[in-house]
Amino acid sequence: MSVRIAPSILSADFAALGSAIAAAERGGADLIHVDVMDGHFVPNITIGVPVVQSLRTIATVPLDVHLMIEEPDRYIEAFVKAGAAMVSVHLEVLPHLHRTVQAIKALGAKAGVVLNPATPAASLHDIAGDVDYVLVMSVNPGFGGQTFIPRSESKVREVRALLDRAGNRAPIEIDGGIDQHNVARVVAAGAEIIVAGSAVFHTQDPERATRELKAAANAASLDELGTP
Ligand code: DX5
Ligand code: ZN
């Protein structure tokens, strides 16, 4: 199993997103994680469709768009048209989650479902066969630079078991407070897409930080397989 690294540009300099993305890609970024916040579902406001459209012209890897917004159904098509290859939506805001997941897929993007720290893994039960990936939040969404919530590690194991029972090999993405010190633990628990914001962009050398995080993640994944 090869782990994918998704640097989150939330912690980058918004005046220089092009060079931030280029550095992350030189370091081996597999995806670019884009955090969209509306000031309602989460307290913060970040970026929207036009920015994703511009990022699409400079990024060479797929854009992984994490929607932390109310009524995401209103915007999904615009984000996919702007260039989102992956779109994740929060279970907490969607009474008709099945319809939303199908709508994302019908637009040709990968559909992800996100769980906040207080949302039980079991809430995924009836949608587990339909998702392309599950995003486990390991902080409360809204801001970069928060501390990893330890319970998230067992949550990843629970989600993996639930997906496996549904016969779905969809990967688990983890987001929030991931760094060089805890990445091995979450990979060992079953995370296969690693989001990192401050651990990449709040360093002197985002290229190197991406490379080192990816190496640590892949080493942990090899350990899991019992390979040296
Ligand atoms: C938080 C966002 C994260 C954030 C992670 O709400 O969803 O993607 O950028 O930042 P770090 O890695 O600094 O916790
Ligand atoms: Zn995110």
Side-chain angles (χ1 to χ4, degrees), residues 8 33-35 66 68 135 137 175 195:
S8 163
H33 185 83
V34 181
D35 289 301
H66 175 191
M68 285 160 276
L135 172 45
M137 285 307 301
D175 182 6
V195 178

Side-chain angles (χ1 to χ4, degrees), residues 199-216:
V200 167
F201 292 112
H202 286 179
T203 66
Q204 292 299 315
D205 189 345
E207 175 184 339
R208 181 175 169 182
T210 304
R211 188 175 297 116
E212 290 181 352
L213 200 60
K214 187 168 179 170

Side-chain angles (χ1 to χ4, degrees), residues 24-108:
E25 289 183 348
R26 285 195 305 275
D30 300 282
L31 305 164
I32 297 296
H33 185 83
V34 181
D35 289 301
V36 176
M37 305 187 189
D38 66 352
H40 290 276
F41 175 59
V42 290
N44 203 359
I45 299 178
T46 55
I47 57 178
V49 172
V51 177
V52 170
Q53 203 166 5
S54 296
L55 297 180
R56 183 61 279 157
T57 66
I58 52 154
T60 63
V61 298
L63 298 178
D64 160 31
V65 175
H66 175 191
L67 297 182
M68 285 160 276
I69 61 178
E70 288 178 358
E71 301 189 61
D73 295 313
R74 292 172 58 193
Y75 301 98
I76 286 164
E77 185 172 359
F79 277 108
V80 174
K81 284 193 170 148
M86 299 164 66
V87 177
S88 59
V89 292
H90 274 260
L91 184 146
E92 298 84 7
V93 298
L94 284 162
H96 309 294
L97 181 60
H98 183 271
R99 181 187 292 152
T100 304
V101 164
Q102 302 309 328
I104 297 171
K105 290 178 163 183
L107 289 163

Side-chain angles (χ1 to χ4, degrees), residues 129-195:
D130 298 282
V131 294
D132 291 317
Y133 62 106
V134 173
L135 172 45
V136 173
M137 285 307 301
S138 40
V139 299
N140 288 294
F143 302 94
Q146 302 181 77
T147 304
F148 178 82
I149 297 171
R151 154 77 176 123
S152 315
E153 193 181 326
S154 53
K155 177 98 155 268
V156 168
R157 290 185 196 278
E158 289 173 19
V159 171
R160 182 70 269 155
L162 209 138
L163 289 169
D164 287 349
R165 278 200 298 277
N168 190 349
R169 267 305 306 160
I172 298 173
E173 179 171 27
I174 190 151
D175 182 6
I178 303 296
D179 59 23
Q180 194 67 28
H181 305 290
N182 58 21
V183 68
R185 289 213 315 271
V186 296
V187 169
E192 294 177 74
I193 305 173
I194 306 296
V195 178

